[in-house]
Amino acid sequence: YSYIWKMAIGISSHRLEIDQTHWTMDGSRIDVNQTTAFPMPVNGNDYNITITTTGEKEYKIAWGRMSSIFVSITGIFLNVKVQAGGDEFSDSVGMMGKFGSGDMLNRQGNPMESKDIVAYGMEWQVRHGQGDPILFSKLEGPQWPGQKCIMPQWTNPKKKKKKRRLG
């Protein structure tokens, strides 16, 4: 299995990074134990970013007229839900696909020839030095171009069950 244990969001020239215990905006730590608001200039507009605690370890990051990101933390797991308004997300690119349709596009903005999700994930592996921003403050794990993303090992549950019966 895989899980989200850390996330980073690039909004214009700003970077918000979240893990189970720390939040940072542009390298400065944010105290999310209280409602926090701060201005963020994006494309010539001043947005107020508001982080609201909606429950125990549940947060809402709101900006613009219709856009929010909900983050909940359970143990070591992060759950992320994006509620996007067209004005703020119409030009977004990456693993989430084309805004509005979810179509799987390659880096050139063309539909993927294959619907293979592994190939799609490899297409969007972060490529430092080729225009991809560095969103995380600390680089971890395999780094392109020398290393590909590590894929989880898959075992057939039927074979596993059969082995338990024999052993």
Side-chain angles (χ1 to χ4, degrees), residues 75-104:
I76 62 169
F77 302 104
L78 262 67
N79 180 33
V80 180
K81 177 183 171 189
V82 177
Q83 178 179 319
D87 291 347
E88 291 91 13
F89 279 85
S90 61
D91 63 346
S92 64
V93 296
M95 288 286 296
M96 298 298 287
K98 182 178 179 183
F99 180 79
S101 69
D103 292 342
M104 293 170 44

Side-chain angles (χ1 to χ4, degrees), residues 7-167:
M7 66 171 272
I9 305 166
I11 305 170
S12 187
S13 62
H14 304 282
R15 183 186 79 226
L16 175 64
E17 188 173 349
I18 302 168
D19 66 23
Q20 299 91 347
T21 57
H22 299 93
W23 290 48
T24 59
M25 173 61 82
D26 297 331
S28 298
R29 193 165 181 169
I30 299 171
D31 180 4
V32 294
N33 292 322
Q34 56 187 335
T35 301
T36 307
F38 47 92
M40 177 182 288
V42 177
N43 300 330
N45 298 311
D46 283 331
Y47 291 101
N48 282 320
I49 303 297
T50 305
I51 300 174
T52 307
T53 303
T54 59
E56 188 172 331
K57 295 197 175 190
E58 294 179 356
Y59 308 94
K60 177 182 177 183
I61 305 161
W63 74 91
R65 291 178 291 168
M66 299 170 44
S67 300
S68 299
I69 298 173
F70 298 89
V71 179
S72 60
I73 302 169
T74 305
I76 62 169
F77 302 104
L78 262 67
N79 180 33
V80 180
K81 177 183 171 189
V82 177
Q83 178 179 319
D87 291 347
E88 291 91 13
F89 279 85
S90 61
D91 63 346
S92 64
V93 296
M95 288 286 296
M96 298 298 287
K98 182 178 179 183
F99 180 79
S101 69
D103 292 342
M104 293 170 44
L105 304 179
N106 64 21
R107 288 177 169 270
Q108 291 73 41
N110 301 317
M112 292 286 290
E113 291 179 20
S114 164
K115 297 297 180 196
D116 178 2
I117 59 171
V118 173
Y120 184 63
M122 294 297 180
E123 171 74 10
W124 283 102
Q125 181 178 0
V126 175
R127 297 179 182 181
H128 305 299
Q130 286 201 346
D132 287 355
I134 297 174
L135 295 177
F136 291 100
S137 57
K138 181 180 176 189
L139 298 179
E140 297 179 19
Q143 298 296 312
W144 187 90
Q147 302 169 311
K148 290 185 177 183
C149 294
I150 300 168
M151 299 305 298
Q153 296 295 318
W154 184 82
T155 57
N156 185 334
K158 289 180 182 178
K159 284 185 180 180
K160 200 174 193 180
K161 193 173 186 179
K162 194 175 187 178
K163 283 181 184 177
R164 276 192 234 140
R165 284 190 207 149
L166 295 175

